[in-house]
């Protein structure tokens, strides 16, 4: 069982829908991440939160809106997505953002945009 | 040219074989990670290395900083080892949160 829990596991939505992806960890980690992964490609970093503040935004379109309500939770709000946004969305956490602290990944949410 | 190159891209082995996956990188690094991704999607961190060698069960990871090269070895391979293995690095001078990933190696172990 992974220590980073993502819900839902699968999501199908239309281009006009609004939905949210959720990520939770109870390891006391203070850094949390969102990645996007297309088939047969490595993950691409989207956002990093450090101590509940957004520290990295990799020029992600505004139709993706992250939120970190507290140190255990990370949300990704989705609105007006495009078919090319269909992908596996992975959440990860680490104790901090120093180089020697490995990231722990969730199982991902597989998102399909109709 | 990618900053992190893995070889081979695909690898098929028979159960019990010794397996080696290679990773070369072209930047100065603070740490190198080996990750495992199963078909369901979840990623597991196998090793984090900055020098030398680490062993966990049947898995061994080595790194040669001078040659900018790392290897992941699997001894006595088993079908449950079938997965994508990803090498990732944290470049020197960048935030530790920013990983640069290789393209991954798809490993299939047949019974």
């Amino acid at each position: 069982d992974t220590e980073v829990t993502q819900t839902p596991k699968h999501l199908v939505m239309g281009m006009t829908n609004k939905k949210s992806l959720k990520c939770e960890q109870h390891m006391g980690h203070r850094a949390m991440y969102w990645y996007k992964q297309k088939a047969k490609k490595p993950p691409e970093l989207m956002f990093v939160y450090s101590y509940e503040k957004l520290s990295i935004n990799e020029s992600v379109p505004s139709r993706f809106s992250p939120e970190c309500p507290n140190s255990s939770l990370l949300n990704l709000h989705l609105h007006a997505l495009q078919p090319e946004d269909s992908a596996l969305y992975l959440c990860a956490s680490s104790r901090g953002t120093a180089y020697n602290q490995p990231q722990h990944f969730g199982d991902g949410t597989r998102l399909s945009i109709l | 040219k990618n900053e992190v190159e893995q070889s081979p891209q695909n690898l098929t082995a028979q159960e019990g074989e010794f397996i080696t996956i290679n990773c070369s990188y072209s930047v100065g690094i603070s740490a190198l990670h080996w990750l495992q991704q199963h078909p369901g999607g979840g990623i597991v961190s196998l090793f984090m290395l900055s020098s030398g060698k680490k062993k966990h069960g049947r898995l061994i990871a080595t790194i040669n900083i001078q040659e900018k090269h790392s290897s992941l070895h699997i001894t006595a391979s088993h079908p449950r080892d079938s997965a994508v293995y990803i090498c990732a690095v944290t470049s020197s001078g960048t935030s530790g949160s920013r990983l640069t990933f290789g393209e991954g190696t798809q490993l299939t172990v047949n019974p």
Side-chain angles (χ1 to χ4, degrees):
Chain A
D1 286 341
T2 182
E3 296 167 318
V4 176
T5 304
Q6 290 188 241
T7 55
K9 292 194 184 308
H10 302 273
L11 179 61
V12 179
M13 58 187 285
M15 289 190 284
T16 58
N17 291 157
K18 285 185 182 181
K19 296 285 184 183
S20 296
L21 309 185
K22 296 187 184 303
C23 175
E24 190 168 1
Q25 57 86 17
H26 294 288
M27 295 178 282
H29 288 176
R30 302 312 299 266
M32 296 186 77
Y33 311 77
W34 280 115
Y35 289 90
K36 173 184 177 180
Q37 186 179 26
K38 301 286 274 185
K40 299 190 185 301
K41 290 293 183 184
E44 300 170 34
L45 184 64
M46 299 174 73
F47 303 104
V48 180
Y49 274 82
S50 178
Y51 289 84
E52 297 142 61
K53 290 190 175 3
L54 184 65
S55 62
I56 294 177
N57 177 342
E58 292 289 273
S59 302
V60 178
S62 60
R63 57 185 183 269
F64 295 92
S65 174
E67 178 197 20
C68 189
N70 60 57
S71 60
S72 299
L73 290 174
L74 184 66
N75 298 321
L76 186 63
H77 302 298
L78 314 173
H79 174 55
L81 295 195
Q82 304 297 308
E84 61 265 27
D85 297 323
S86 298
L88 180 70
Y89 288 84
L90 290 159
C91 174
S93 71
S94 61
R95 192 174 300 173
T97 55
Y99 75 91
N100 61 345
Q101 290 164 358
Q103 295 181 24
H104 298 247
F105 288 82
D107 288 337
T109 293
R110 200 162 295 277
L111 176 66
S112 298
I113 307 300
L114 300 178
Chain B
K1 189 176 189 296
N2 292 339
E3 291 181 340
V4 180
E5 299 266 354
Q6 286 185 236
S7 63
Q9 280 188 303
N10 295 283
L11 181 55
T12 300
Q14 288 300 121
E15 184 172 356
E17 287 184 357
F18 181 84
I19 287 162
T20 297
I21 299 170
N22 296 299
C23 176
S24 296
Y25 52 91
S26 57
V27 295
I29 67 167
S30 301
L32 182 142
H33 305 257
W34 281 104
L35 309 170
Q36 179 193 55
Q37 186 169 31
H38 280 281
I43 291 177
V44 174
S45 179
L46 300 174
F47 295 104
M48 184 178 67
L49 294 162
S50 53
S51 64
K53 175 179 177 178
K54 288 190 176 180
K55 184 176 191 291
H56 185 254
R58 296 180 293 106
L59 302 178
I60 303 166
T62 64
I63 188 167
N64 184 319
I65 298 294
Q66 286 73 32
E67 295 186 3
K68 296 188 174 177
H69 181 269
S70 175
S71 293
L72 176 69
H73 305 286
I74 304 175
T75 61
S77 60
H78 190 276
R80 65 175 174 266
D81 297 325
S82 298
V84 175
Y85 291 83
I86 304 171
C87 173
V89 302
T90 306
S91 302
S92 304
T94 65
S95 166
S97 52
R98 196 182 295 278
L99 295 175
T100 302
F101 295 90
E103 293 288 312
T105 295
Q106 172 69 63
L107 171 64
T108 303
V109 182
N110 294 318

